[in-house]
Amino acid sequence: RDCLLSRGLGDVYKRQQYNPLYIYGGVGLGKTHLMQAIGHRYLDLHPKARVRCVSAQDFINEYTSAVRESTNKTHASLEKFDERYRSLDLLLIDDVQSLSGAKGSQGQFFRAFEALVPHNKQLVITSDTYTRGLKDIEPRLISRLSQGLSVAIEPPEFEMRTAILLNKAKTMGVDLPDEVAAYIAKRLKSNVRELEGALQQVVAYQQFQATSSREITIDIAKRVLREQFQVVNSLITIENIQKTVADYYKIKVADMHLSLIHISEPTRQE
């Protein structure tokens, strides 16, 4: 799936209405992995392209260092920083929500945006929320980020979660019964990391058992993951509420976000 997505999204430079490409979703859903795959795909198509992939926090750190190294007499460090981002063919920024409150870095990112997107240079961004959900970000920057294509990465459905567990177990050389994979998948719904971590715990437990009792069963999964299941069941978060509502009405969380955006927009008077 990731391969097909990266190949498709890696070709977005051909369609300027997809610029910038804004990918958002919860923790552990593979946004960074997908963004990096897009970068690799782009380089496959354009081996000589100038591509830079950086987290928003690293962007802030680079800008802060450039400001610190610059003096009243020379702004060489700032000029190098500016040129580094304005001369790219593809810029990939991870976790853009980290720019929250960093006014100077937001200004520099806006300058980079204006140097790239209007000149048909591709920008790909990841975030933990949709554009209108970003906090303490300049309105002009939110407006720019909203002008392209927004893609929501949803938590995997039950069948996908089960398949992830079975495939992970196979790569680990572990015989995981289908019913055990299904049992875990029904109870852990938020992200891939959580699923893989749960499997690691079960496998680690079994490795310390006698050879004759190393079969993984539902009872073993219950025992090992008891506390994790309890935490998940008692955890009330915005993400869990959204997922529960979306599952009940058989819609996607992204569709709920789009509805909120339309509701928040003022009605235009004729």
Side-chain angles (χ1 to χ4, degrees), residues 7 31 43 71 111 137 161 163 169 192 203 206 224 258 262:
R7 287 179 66 88
K31 301 185 300 296
L43 284 173
T71 65
R111 284 168 57 83
I137 300 289
R161 295 196 300 272
V192 177
V203 172
Q206 283 303 95
V224 176
L258 289 174
H262 291 319

Side-chain angles (χ1 to χ4, degrees), residues 15-246:
R15 306 174 178 89
Q16 290 310 312
Q17 66 267 32
Y18 293 172
N19 199 11
L21 175 62
Y22 187 93
I23 304 170
Y24 67 97
V27 175
L29 296 180
K31 301 185 300 296
T32 300
H33 178 75
L34 178 58
M35 182 187 70
Q36 292 171 345
I38 292 172
H40 287 301
R41 172 61 176 167
Y42 191 93
L43 284 173
D44 287 341
L45 296 171
H46 305 280
K48 296 182 180 181
R50 292 163 296 184
V51 176
R52 188 170 182 82
C53 180
V54 63
S55 70
Q57 187 57 58
D58 285 341
F59 184 90
I60 293 173
N61 294 340
E62 286 182 28
Y63 174 65
T64 302
S65 296
V67 171
R68 185 173 59 249
E69 294 169 4
S70 296
T71 65
N72 293 330
K73 294 182 179 179
T74 175
H75 296 285
S77 294
L78 277 173
E79 291 173 357
K80 287 181 180 179
F81 174 86
D82 195 46
E83 180 62 23
R84 184 184 307 147
Y85 285 93
R86 291 168 60 88
S87 62
L88 296 172
D89 296 304
L90 170 63
L91 173 59
L92 305 108
I93 296 283
D94 196 22
D95 290 331
V96 75
Q97 74 277 357
S98 297
L99 290 176
S100 175
K103 299 301 182 183
S105 297
Q106 289 180 34
Q108 288 298 316
F109 182 53
F110 182 83
R111 284 168 57 83
F113 186 105
E114 291 296 285
L116 298 176
V117 176
H119 297 89
N120 298 329
K121 306 299 184 181
Q122 185 66 45
L123 178 61
V124 179
I125 305 144
T126 70
S127 176
D128 64 357
T129 185
Y130 58 103
T131 55
R132 300 295 178 181
L134 291 170
K135 303 297 184 182
D136 204 9
I137 300 289
E138 292 183 9
R140 63 174 183 171
L141 194 50
I142 292 179
S143 176
R144 296 298 194 283
L145 296 178
S146 304
Q147 74 183 34
L149 174 66
S150 292
V151 178
I153 304 299
E154 300 281 355
E157 300 297 330
F158 168 70
E159 293 80 5
M160 178 61 71
R161 295 196 300 272
T162 303
I164 289 171
L165 286 168
L166 291 173
N167 287 336
K168 182 65 176 180
K170 184 177 181 180
T171 62
M172 296 171 65
V174 174
D175 183 16
L176 181 68
D178 291 352
E179 62 270 19
V180 178
Y183 177 81
I184 297 173
K186 284 182 179 179
R187 287 155 180 80
L188 300 179
K189 305 177 182 181
S190 61
N191 61 68
V192 177
R193 291 179 193 165
E194 183 179 53
L195 287 171
E196 293 183 345
L199 179 60
Q200 292 279 8
Q201 293 181 56
V202 173
V203 172
Y205 177 87
Q206 283 303 95
Q207 289 177 344
F208 287 97
Q209 305 306 305
T211 304
S212 60
S213 59
R214 283 191 175 181
E215 179 185 359
I216 298 177
T217 65
I218 290 179
D219 287 339
I220 292 296
K222 285 181 180 179
R223 185 184 313 157
V224 176
L225 302 175
R226 180 179 63 254
E227 293 184 2
Q228 189 170 349
F229 290 157
Q230 290 175 349
V231 170
V232 169
N233 290 335
S234 63
L235 194 61
I236 299 177
T237 65
I238 293 176
E239 290 77 13
N240 285 344
I241 293 172
Q242 290 175 337
K243 187 70 171 70
T244 300
V245 173

